[in-house]
Every structure is written in C-alpha cells, then in structure tokens.
Amino acid sequence: MISSLYTRIVLTFLVSVIGGTIIATFTTSWLYKEKLNDNLMLNVFHFGEDVSRIYDALPPAEAEAYVRGMKQLHSYYIRMYDQGGQIQSFGELNGQSVSEVTPEQISRVLAGEVLQISSQGIVPVLMGMPLRTETGTKAMFVEPLAASSVSLLVRFLTNSLITGSLLILIAAVFLVRPIKKLTEATKRIAAGDFNVKLNIKQKGELGTLARSFEEMMRDLKQLEQMRKEFVSNVSHEVQSPLTSISGYAIALKQAGIPESERNRYLDIIISEAKRMSKMSDSLLKLSLLESSTQQLRVTELRLDEQIRRVIVAIQPQWSARSISFDMNLKPIPVTADHDQLNQVWTNIIGNSIKFSEEGGTIHVSMKQDAKTVTIRIADAGMGISQEDQKRIFERFFKADRSHSRKYDGSGMGLAIAKQIVSLHQGHIRVESELGRGAAFIVTLPIASSSE
C-alpha cells in the first residue's frame, strides 16, 4: 500500500506516460505498417533507379566512383551480384546488420524481375532490381540503413521520458507541498494551536481549499476564545453566590446569633440559591435555543396585546419604583412563537425598568412596513457606553460591573432575547449614550419563515 501522495503522483505519471508510449508505438506500427513500408519501398525504388541511370550514362569505372561518392550512401546500403556470383557493396554498415539475400532472389533479379522484400515490422526493406551495365546484367539489392532512424526515435522517446519524469518530480513537489502544510496545520490545530499561517499562494482548487482552511481556523480560534470566556464567566458567576452561601452557612453555625441576624443570613442564602437556579435555567434555555433541535411553535398573535400583557404581568417591578409607560402600539398581527417572544419583551422591558431612574418613563412604540414590524423600547436610565454596546448581547456580559451587586441578574437576558429574535429571522440592536438612556430596537418579519 503506497501511502505517500507524492509517490502516487510520480508513479501514476510514469505508468501513464510509459504505458501510453508503448501502446501508441505498437498501435501505430500495426495500423500504419503497410503504408510506412510502401512509402519506404518507394524511396528505395527511386534511389535504385537513380543508380541505374548513373550506370546507363557513365562507363562502369566512372559510374562506380560516382556511386561511391554519393551522400545517399549514409542512408542506403547497395549490394551488386554478377552472373558469376561476385558481390560488390557500396556504403558503410557501421556495425549494423543487413538482410540476407538468397541465391534464388539473385537469380530472379538477374532474370529481370524486380523484388520487394519486407520484414514483419516497419524495417528493414530490401529492394532487388536488375542493373544493366556494359559488362553485363547485375542483381542490385538496395537496403535502407533505417536502424539509425529507429535508434534516433528510441533515444528521443527515452530522453522525453527522462525529461518528463524529472519535470513531474519537480512539479509534484510543488503540488504536494501545500497539502503537507495543511496536514501539519491540522496537527497543530488538534493540539490547540490556532496561530497557524499557511502562506499558500496557489490558485484553483488548492487555493480555495487553503482559504477555506484559514477561514475554518479563524472560526475555531474565535470559538475557542468564546469557550474560554464562557468557562471563565460561568466560574465567576457561580463562585460569587457559592461564596456567599458558604460564608453565611458557616456564620449560622456560630452560637448566640440574634434571631434577626439569623433570618437575615437565611434570606441571603435563599436569595443566592435562587440566583444560581435562575442562572442555571437561563443557561439551559440558551443552550436549547442555540441547538439545531429547537423548533418554533408559530401562531398568529397580536403583538401590541402581547406587549401590554407583559407590562401588566411585571407591574410589581415598575410600580414599586413609580415608573410609567408611554405606549404607541398599533394593532399589528404577526406569525411567531408566542412564548418565545413573550420572553423577549420580558427581558428587554425588565432591563429598562432595572436601569431607569425612580419615577422615570419607558417609551414603547411600534411601526410597520410591507414585510416587517419594528418595536422600540427606550428608557432614560444610565445608558451604555459605545464599547459595551459591542458586547451587550453576549452571555454573562454586564455593561457596568460596578453595579453588578446593585442590579440583580445573570447577564444572559439579552443573549436569550437575541437568539429568539434570530430564530424568527429578525434582528435586534441597541442605541444608547452614557447618562442618556438606552433604546432597544427589534425588527421582526410579519409572517414567520417557519410558516
């Protein structure tokens, strides 16, 4: 089993090229064998006729000298047999072998017959022609020295294969290098190191893969940071009530504590326990909202009536602080999850009450366009800084830590509200300035996408 991608690429190339070359050579030889032999035979025949004309035009000695000086003898080998069986050859073999000429073939040529003799392959080809000279008829056999051409072709193919193999070796290195980088980066990410730079400049599929990997790496780094913050926040939020509960429980064990002090300690323990329970419920609710299994149970409801009922339901909170409401609500029906939206208005209005001044006013208004409805809930409380507005919808985030004991809460109400609004394909944002209150704007589609 070959596991290296580099080795696979090289072997695949070599097998493909070498196998393709061999198959192409044999296929070409088989398909065009006759045509190649015919073309080669025609060239041999024309050369033999040229030699015959030389012997017709010149005396034997001059003709022989002329033929020996012909440049074509680098490509052809000539053998001449006379009536007595004497042989005369022209050209240099240079170690090459030639076809055997039989006595029968010599006799047939001397009798005036032209012979074309070919092997099973492309070469060699042998042409026998009668040559009439002043001294009598001779049997001339002309054979092309084609072995040099075949050797040249073999050398060419060999050099091509070697050059191509070297090129594919180099190309494969550049092809496999980014994949090796991705593999190494994957190992580092698995070990918890998200500060990996790939520096892959290729285009095409590898470039797209590298960019997708870098985006995934950034997302994982962000998720890891969120996980660390979440663990830190949970630990901090849980530690505070646990410390209070533990401290006051120890104090209760002391003897001689007045009844009033004992009751006060118990009230604090109960309050901190309720705060932990509420935080646990909020975490569970937020986890369910963020899971893919959360399904909205949509119904048609009057948004203005729902907001009024929420305000009435939390009347003890705002009436105790003499807070009033200025409402401009229109009868707008929407298709949404009643219970989930009820939680949104409870959380947002509850925050507005919490951070409003004594005797303040909370303004609630609605407006509608073709496809959406926008609800604005504004107070005149302490306001939110520009820096805190960027994180106000994160879980456990509290805009003013110095007031965390004064204003009860887990810091997850707005995170839950945002998740519910997102599930309804809407969005929520905040507008605020320090000391000038805050306004939360929720935009919802009139018809839910779940419908």
Side-chain angles (χ1 to χ4, degrees), residues 219-233:
D219 292 341
L220 287 175
K221 184 177 181 180
Q222 184 177 5
L223 286 174
E224 177 64 13
Q225 183 63 29
M226 291 173 62
R227 184 191 68 82
K228 290 180 179 179
E229 291 181 359
F230 175 75
V231 172
S232 175
N233 288 332

PDB file of all heavy atoms in Angstrom, residues 219-233:
ATOM      1  N   ASP A 219     -12.437  30.673  12.587  1.00  0.00           N
ATOM      2  CA  ASP A 219     -13.676  30.367  13.314  1.00  0.00           C
ATOM      3  C   ASP A 219     -13.393  29.525  14.554  1.00  0.00           C
ATOM      4  O   ASP A 219     -13.968  29.766  15.626  1.00  0.00           O
ATOM      5  CB  ASP A 219     -14.654  29.632  12.394  1.00  0.00           C
ATOM      6  CG  ASP A 219     -15.170  30.519  11.273  1.00  0.00           C
ATOM      7  OD1 ASP A 219     -15.065  31.758  11.414  1.00  0.00           O
ATOM      8  OD2 ASP A 219     -15.654  29.987  10.264  1.00  0.00           O
ATOM      9  N   LEU A 220     -12.508  28.545  14.404  1.00  0.00           N
ATOM     10  CA  LEU A 220     -12.162  27.703  15.556  1.00  0.00           C
ATOM     11  C   LEU A 220     -11.474  28.519  16.643  1.00  0.00           C
ATOM     12  O   LEU A 220     -11.715  28.303  17.839  1.00  0.00           O
ATOM     13  CB  LEU A 220     -11.254  26.559  15.100  1.00  0.00           C
ATOM     14  CG  LEU A 220     -11.915  25.438  14.300  1.00  0.00           C
ATOM     15  CD1 LEU A 220     -10.869  24.446  13.813  1.00  0.00           C
ATOM     16  CD2 LEU A 220     -12.975  24.728  15.119  1.00  0.00           C
ATOM     17  N   LYS A 221     -10.617  29.447  16.216  1.00  0.00           N
ATOM     18  CA  LYS A 221      -9.932  30.295  17.194  1.00  0.00           C
ATOM     19  C   LYS A 221     -10.939  31.157  17.939  1.00  0.00           C
ATOM     20  O   LYS A 221     -10.847  31.322  19.173  1.00  0.00           O
ATOM     21  CB  LYS A 221      -8.912  31.179  16.474  1.00  0.00           C
ATOM     22  CG  LYS A 221      -8.060  32.029  17.408  1.00  0.00           C
ATOM     23  CD  LYS A 221      -7.022  32.813  16.631  1.00  0.00           C
ATOM     24  CE  LYS A 221      -6.160  33.650  17.569  1.00  0.00           C
ATOM     25  NZ  LYS A 221      -5.137  34.424  16.814  1.00  0.00           N
ATOM     26  N   GLN A 222     -11.912  31.679  17.198  1.00  0.00           N
ATOM     27  CA  GLN A 222     -12.940  32.511  17.837  1.00  0.00           C
ATOM     28  C   GLN A 222     -13.800  31.669  18.784  1.00  0.00           C
ATOM     29  O   GLN A 222     -14.124  32.108  19.897  1.00  0.00           O
ATOM     30  CB  GLN A 222     -13.811  33.162  16.769  1.00  0.00           C
ATOM     31  CG  GLN A 222     -14.848  34.128  17.325  1.00  0.00           C
ATOM     32  CD  GLN A 222     -15.638  34.801  16.226  1.00  0.00           C
ATOM     33  OE1 GLN A 222     -15.482  34.493  15.054  1.00  0.00           O
ATOM     34  NE2 GLN A 222     -16.496  35.721  16.599  1.00  0.00           N
ATOM     35  N   LEU A 223     -14.147  30.448  18.337  1.00  0.00           N
ATOM     36  CA  LEU A 223     -14.935  29.563  19.200  1.00  0.00           C
ATOM     37  C   LEU A 223     -14.164  29.191  20.467  1.00  0.00           C
ATOM     38  O   LEU A 223     -14.739  29.115  21.553  1.00  0.00           O
ATOM     39  CB  LEU A 223     -15.319  28.298  18.426  1.00  0.00           C
ATOM     40  CG  LEU A 223     -16.418  28.446  17.381  1.00  0.00           C
ATOM     41  CD1 LEU A 223     -16.576  27.155  16.596  1.00  0.00           C
ATOM     42  CD2 LEU A 223     -17.746  28.828  18.024  1.00  0.00           C
ATOM     43  N   GLU A 224     -12.863  28.949  20.303  1.00  0.00           N
ATOM     44  CA  GLU A 224     -12.048  28.607  21.468  1.00  0.00           C
ATOM     45  C   GLU A 224     -11.990  29.773  22.450  1.00  0.00           C
ATOM     46  O   GLU A 224     -12.065  29.577  23.665  1.00  0.00           O
ATOM     47  CB  GLU A 224     -10.638  28.223  21.004  1.00  0.00           C
ATOM     48  CG  GLU A 224      -9.665  27.906  22.129  1.00  0.00           C
ATOM     49  CD  GLU A 224     -10.062  26.694  22.944  1.00  0.00           C
ATOM     50  OE1 GLU A 224     -10.960  25.934  22.505  1.00  0.00           O
ATOM     51  OE2 GLU A 224      -9.482  26.498  24.026  1.00  0.00           O
ATOM     52  N   GLN A 225     -11.874  30.995  21.904  1.00  0.00           N
ATOM     53  CA  GLN A 225     -11.856  32.167  22.768  1.00  0.00           C
ATOM     54  C   GLN A 225     -13.191  32.320  23.495  1.00  0.00           C
ATOM     55  O   GLN A 225     -13.230  32.636  24.699  1.00  0.00           O
ATOM     56  CB  GLN A 225     -11.557  33.426  21.931  1.00  0.00           C
ATOM     57  CG  GLN A 225     -11.452  34.708  22.734  1.00  0.00           C
ATOM     58  CD  GLN A 225     -10.299  34.687  23.721  1.00  0.00           C
ATOM     59  OE1 GLN A 225      -9.292  34.035  23.493  1.00  0.00           O
ATOM     60  NE2 GLN A 225     -10.451  35.402  24.828  1.00  0.00           N
ATOM     61  N   MET A 226     -14.289  32.087  22.738  1.00  0.00           N
ATOM     62  CA  MET A 226     -15.620  32.167  23.356  1.00  0.00           C
ATOM     63  C   MET A 226     -15.780  31.093  24.429  1.00  0.00           C
ATOM     64  O   MET A 226     -16.389  31.332  25.477  1.00  0.00           O
ATOM     65  CB  MET A 226     -16.697  32.014  22.285  1.00  0.00           C
ATOM     66  CG  MET A 226     -16.787  33.191  21.322  1.00  0.00           C
ATOM     67  SD  MET A 226     -17.933  32.888  19.952  1.00  0.00           S
ATOM     68  CE  MET A 226     -19.466  32.691  20.851  1.00  0.00           C
ATOM     69  N   ARG A 227     -15.231  29.900  24.160  1.00  0.00           N
ATOM     70  CA  ARG A 227     -15.330  28.824  25.154  1.00  0.00           C
ATOM     71  C   ARG A 227     -14.600  29.202  26.436  1.00  0.00           C
ATOM     72  O   ARG A 227     -15.113  28.994  27.547  1.00  0.00           O
ATOM     73  CB  ARG A 227     -14.744  27.534  24.568  1.00  0.00           C
ATOM     74  CG  ARG A 227     -14.876  26.331  25.488  1.00  0.00           C
ATOM     75  CD  ARG A 227     -14.047  25.165  24.979  1.00  0.00           C
ATOM     76  NE  ARG A 227     -12.626  25.443  25.077  1.00  0.00           N
ATOM     77  CZ  ARG A 227     -11.918  25.300  26.193  1.00  0.00           C
ATOM     78  NH1 ARG A 227     -12.501  24.893  27.315  1.00  0.00           N
ATOM     79  NH2 ARG A 227     -10.629  25.564  26.207  1.00  0.00           N
ATOM     80  N   LYS A 228     -13.390  29.773  26.273  1.00  0.00           N
ATOM     81  CA  LYS A 228     -12.621  30.163  27.450  1.00  0.00           C
ATOM     82  C   LYS A 228     -13.346  31.253  28.235  1.00  0.00           C
ATOM     83  O   LYS A 228     -13.401  31.203  29.473  1.00  0.00           O
ATOM     84  CB  LYS A 228     -11.240  30.653  27.022  1.00  0.00           C
ATOM     85  CG  LYS A 228     -10.334  29.555  26.504  1.00  0.00           C
ATOM     86  CD  LYS A 228      -8.975  30.106  26.089  1.00  0.00           C
ATOM     87  CE  LYS A 228      -8.051  28.997  25.597  1.00  0.00           C
ATOM     88  NZ  LYS A 228      -6.738  29.525  25.168  1.00  0.00           N
ATOM     89  N   GLU A 229     -13.900  32.228  27.500  1.00  0.00           N
ATOM     90  CA  GLU A 229     -14.640  33.292  28.184  1.00  0.00           C
ATOM     91  C   GLU A 229     -15.873  32.737  28.879  1.00  0.00           C
ATOM     92  O   GLU A 229     -16.222  33.163  29.989  1.00  0.00           O
ATOM     93  CB  GLU A 229     -15.031  34.370  27.181  1.00  0.00           C
ATOM     94  CG  GLU A 229     -13.848  35.178  26.646  1.00  0.00           C
ATOM     95  CD  GLU A 229     -14.292  36.253  25.679  1.00  0.00           C
ATOM     96  OE1 GLU A 229     -15.508  36.350  25.417  1.00  0.00           O
ATOM     97  OE2 GLU A 229     -13.437  37.006  25.178  1.00  0.00           O
ATOM     98  N   PHE A 230     -16.541  31.788  28.209  1.00  0.00           N
ATOM     99  CA  PHE A 230     -17.740  31.196  28.789  1.00  0.00           C
ATOM    100  C   PHE A 230     -17.406  30.461  30.085  1.00  0.00           C
ATOM    101  O   PHE A 230     -18.085  30.632  31.107  1.00  0.00           O
ATOM    102  CB  PHE A 230     -18.383  30.236  27.791  1.00  0.00           C
ATOM    103  CG  PHE A 230     -19.555  29.484  28.346  1.00  0.00           C
ATOM    104  CD1 PHE A 230     -20.775  30.120  28.526  1.00  0.00           C
ATOM    105  CD2 PHE A 230     -19.445  28.152  28.693  1.00  0.00           C
ATOM    106  CE1 PHE A 230     -21.860  29.440  29.045  1.00  0.00           C
ATOM    107  CE2 PHE A 230     -20.521  27.459  29.214  1.00  0.00           C
ATOM    108  CZ  PHE A 230     -21.733  28.105  29.385  1.00  0.00           C
ATOM    109  N   VAL A 231     -16.347  29.646  30.041  1.00  0.00           N
ATOM    110  CA  VAL A 231     -15.942  28.912  31.252  1.00  0.00           C
ATOM    111  C   VAL A 231     -15.559  29.887  32.356  1.00  0.00           C
ATOM    112  O   VAL A 231     -15.923  29.712  33.527  1.00  0.00           O
ATOM    113  CB  VAL A 231     -14.775  27.962  30.926  1.00  0.00           C
ATOM    114  CG1 VAL A 231     -14.214  27.339  32.201  1.00  0.00           C
ATOM    115  CG2 VAL A 231     -15.229  26.866  29.967  1.00  0.00           C
ATOM    116  N   SER A 232     -14.823  30.943  31.966  1.00  0.00           N
ATOM    117  CA  SER A 232     -14.414  31.934  32.964  1.00  0.00           C
ATOM    118  C   SER A 232     -15.620  32.646  33.561  1.00  0.00           C
ATOM    119  O   SER A 232     -15.696  32.844  34.781  1.00  0.00           O
ATOM    120  CB  SER A 232     -13.465  32.945  32.312  1.00  0.00           C
ATOM    121  OG  SER A 232     -13.135  33.979  33.216  1.00  0.00           O
ATOM    122  N   ASN A 233     -16.568  33.022  32.700  1.00  0.00           N
ATOM    123  CA  ASN A 233     -17.759  33.726  33.183  1.00  0.00           C
ATOM    124  C   ASN A 233     -18.610  32.839  34.093  1.00  0.00           C
ATOM    125  O   ASN A 233     -19.102  33.283  35.128  1.00  0.00           O
ATOM    126  CB  ASN A 233     -18.590  34.215  32.003  1.00  0.00           C
ATOM    127  CG  ASN A 233     -17.931  35.370  31.277  1.00  0.00           C
ATOM    128  OD1 ASN A 233     -17.183  36.140  31.866  1.00  0.00           O
ATOM    129  ND2 ASN A 233     -18.184  35.495  29.990  1.00  0.00           N
TER     130      ASN A 233
END
